Amino acid sequence: MLKLPKLSEYASFLQIGWFGFLRTAALLLTFTLATAIATRIGTIEVAGHQVANNIWLLLALTVDALAIAAQALVGKILGEGDRGEARALSNRLLTLGLGVGIALAII
């Protein structure tokens, strides 16, 4: 029989997830306000805003996917107890992230 966890067991997840919730809420609020402002300017401006918004979203989700994979790799290595390897991987991932960020900024 499936047993649901108690509310107190969710506390650690809620503490960790709170910052992600705030980030997402801030992004949605910003996009909503930007779209509302663009609609008041004109039809062509809204179309341009939507194109730029979709390109930005594609690039942001690409970087988020890399970050999620990096967190999983570092977590796995830390779980194995190899702090030195985790530090080395973190340094490589920071370098990769910087390179990807620069490349996406140029695009």
Side-chain angles (χ1 to χ4, degrees):
M1 178 89 181
L2 183 63
K3 184 178 173 185
L4 294 176
K6 297 176 184 174
L7 187 58
S8 62
E9 295 172 336
Y10 285 112
S12 62
F13 291 110
L14 293 175
Q15 286 176 336
I16 293 169
W18 176 248
F19 294 111
F21 171 77
L22 286 178
R23 174 185 173 265
T24 303
L27 282 171
L28 288 174
L29 178 65
T30 303
F31 290 147
T32 302
L33 289 174
T35 303
I37 292 168
T39 58
R40 294 179 182 168
I41 297 172
T43 306
I44 294 172
E45 288 77 7
V46 173
H49 169 75
Q50 285 306 113
V51 169
N53 192 27
N54 285 336
I55 292 171
W56 182 89
L57 190 60
L58 172 70
L59 297 176
L61 291 176
T62 300
V63 175
D64 275 354
L66 293 173
I68 291 167
Q71 289 173 1
L73 287 170
V74 172
K76 177 186 176 290
I77 293 171
L78 282 175
E80 293 171 350
D82 193 351
R83 293 178 59 98
E85 179 63 24
R87 172 66 69 181
L89 177 62
S90 295
N91 290 337
R92 286 193 306 263
L93 290 169
L94 284 170
T95 303
L96 175 65
L98 179 63
V100 169
I102 291 171
L104 293 178
I106 291 171
I107 291 174

